[in-house]
Amino acid sequence: MPKVSVIIPIYNTEDYLEDCLQSVQDQSLSDFEVIMINDGSTDASSSIAKKWLTQDDRFKLFETENHGPAKARNLGLKKAQGQFITFVDSDDYILPTFLEKMVSTAENLMVDIVCCNVPQKQELNIISGIKALKQSLYQTKKPDYSAWNKLYRAELWNSQEFKDFLVGEDLATIPYVLAKVNTVALLKEQLYIYKKRNSSLLASPYTLQKAQLLNIAEQLCLDISEKYPSLKKAAESTLLSAAYSIWMRTADTAEFKELRQKAWKLISLYRMQSLLDGHTRMRNKIASLVSFFGKNFLSMIMKRGG
């Protein structure tokens, strides 16, 4: 049984994949397996991934039709045999000591999840799963609800998988993982290098399918508020963020009319609360303040802010 299973969903990232896979192969900790899931790539990604099969027997490749990152990760979870699980996006890369430092932290401190890339002002810290969940919902401190930059004990995924959404699968999944763990360790070291691409799913304009983000946030808010009443405001903060995201990334057309009406209703409902809540992130506070000047002014300011 390998110490770590590194799960890498791959879809049309030929310009970045070599660096990603090389960064995993170069790890100072050698006891790992790499589960590459080629999610129906139409570029040279599959050929690049196959090269690693002949170079390193720790690398395994599984080919599927294109179903999105959630199903690709879930297939990786089914194939994984490691004591720990980590997810690396195929257009990102990790530093050589990523696995070694994350595993040693998990084992020495006996925590369930380790999160790196915590802002420098925070020292190494151990927090409860519920506090980690609260911080991820407010989006002001690590851990966030991204799947990457974390190491998980494998048993956390025994009865858990990524919910199948084109966008927002992390939001629909990771908060529920955080909610069921005892402890999370926060490492300030930047061991995971995230690359923001203009062609990525998150960077491109929303379609109705991608706009499911609002429904995901709404369901999460209901679930968290019911099970953890003390985190209700934190969950509502995430819902408000989703409403602003929909407002900024959808066109003011008939196609999105109903969705934008719903987003505006949520903005009107929670904007005052966001201004009065000391935990709310600054982006939400600013957007909430601007929203009182009307829909058109909010749209103009958000487009300028990007």
Side-chain angles (χ1 to χ4, degrees):
M1 176 186 292
K3 181 69 72 173
V4 186
S5 294
V6 182
I7 298 175
I8 307 177
I10 300 169
Y11 179 71
N12 287 357
T13 51
E14 61 181 2
D15 293 337
Y16 310 92
L17 188 55
E18 290 269 8
D19 289 342
C20 174
L21 299 180
Q22 188 66 58
S23 75
V24 179
Q25 187 179 52
D26 291 343
Q27 289 298 294
S28 55
L29 176 73
S30 61
D31 187 11
F32 63 84
E33 65 174 357
V34 182
I35 310 295
M36 301 180 290
I37 309 295
N38 179 36
D39 187 32
S41 294
T42 56
D43 64 0
S45 293
S46 179
S47 299
I48 294 170
K50 286 175 181 176
K51 289 196 304 182
W52 256 262
L53 302 181
T54 60
Q55 297 176 12
D56 195 326
D57 60 10
R58 296 172 298 181
F59 284 68
K60 304 169 186 177
L61 176 63
F62 300 91
E63 303 270 1
T64 72
E65 295 181 0
N66 179 235
H67 295 297
K71 285 192 175 181
R73 285 175 179 161
N74 288 338
L75 177 57
L77 287 168
K78 291 178 182 178
K79 302 295 184 180
Q81 299 179 2
Q83 299 174 44
F84 294 93
I85 302 286
T86 193
F87 302 98
V88 178
D89 290 346
S90 60
D91 49 357
D92 298 338
Y93 65 93
I94 52 178
L95 296 190
T97 57
F98 174 84
L99 291 181
E100 181 182 2
K101 290 186 176 181
M102 298 287 273
V103 169
S104 63
T105 300
E107 292 183 330
N108 293 338
L109 299 179
M110 295 182 291
V111 297
D112 301 303
I113 296 175
V114 181
C115 175
C116 65
N117 291 35
V118 175
Q120 291 293 318
K121 61 183 179 181
Q122 293 182 230
E123 297 297 324
L124 171 64
N125 202 1
I126 302 176
I127 60 176
S128 68
I130 294 302
K131 184 172 182 180
L133 174 58
K134 180 179 180 179
Q135 292 182 181
S136 74
L137 293 172
Y138 272 120
Q139 303 167 284
T140 53
K141 297 180 181 179
K142 291 290 192 296
D144 53 16
Y145 49 70
S146 300
W148 59 273
N149 79 4
K150 298 174 182 67
L151 182 82
Y152 311 81
R153 291 195 180 271
E155 56 265 29
L156 293 174
W157 296 96
N158 288 347
S159 58
Q160 180 75 55
E161 63 177 11
F162 283 88
K163 295 179 182 176
D164 188 17
F165 295 103
L166 183 63
V167 168
E169 74 281 357
D170 286 5
L171 176 60
T173 305
I174 300 303
Y176 296 95
V177 177
L178 293 173
K180 66 182 181 181
V181 306
N182 292 318
T183 49
V184 178
L186 305 179
L187 275 174
K188 67 179 182 179
E189 294 177 77
Q190 188 175 9
L191 301 172
Y192 187 108
I193 308 302
Y194 169 79
K195 292 183 177 179
K196 184 176 181 180
R197 293 186 293 133
N198 290 332
S199 59
S200 70
L201 277 173
L202 287 175
S204 57
Y206 276 17
T207 61
L208 281 176
Q209 188 179 10
K210 287 172 63 176
Q212 292 178 110
L213 175 68
L214 194 57
N215 292 332
I216 293 170
E218 195 167 32
Q219 185 59 55
L220 177 65
C221 187
L222 289 172
D223 292 341
I224 295 298
S225 298
E226 180 180 349
K227 193 167 184 179
Y228 308 100
S230 65
L231 299 184
K232 185 174 185 291
K233 285 186 177 181
E236 290 168 348
S237 180
T238 290
L239 180 54
L240 181 61
S241 292
Y244 282 130
S245 181
I246 292 297
W247 192 261
M248 180 175 69
R249 295 182 181 275
T250 57
D252 189 8
T253 62
E255 179 184 15
F256 296 107
K257 181 179 179 180
E258 185 176 339
L259 189 65
R260 287 174 65 83
Q261 286 176 342
K262 183 176 181 179
W264 182 257
K265 183 177 179 180
L266 290 168
I267 289 169
S268 300
L269 180 62
Y270 294 121
R271 59 188 176 185
M272 181 59 73
Q273 177 177 297
S274 74
L275 290 171
L276 299 176
D277 188 346
H279 297 288
T280 302
R281 63 176 181 167
M282 188 55 63
R283 284 176 60 184
N284 278 11
K285 285 184 180 293
I286 293 172
S288 293
L289 184 61
V290 170
S291 72
F292 282 101
F293 292 91
K295 297 177 182 179
N296 292 337
F297 191 65
L298 176 64
S299 298
M300 181 183 68
I301 295 299
M302 293 187 82
K303 286 177 180 178
R304 285 183 178 178

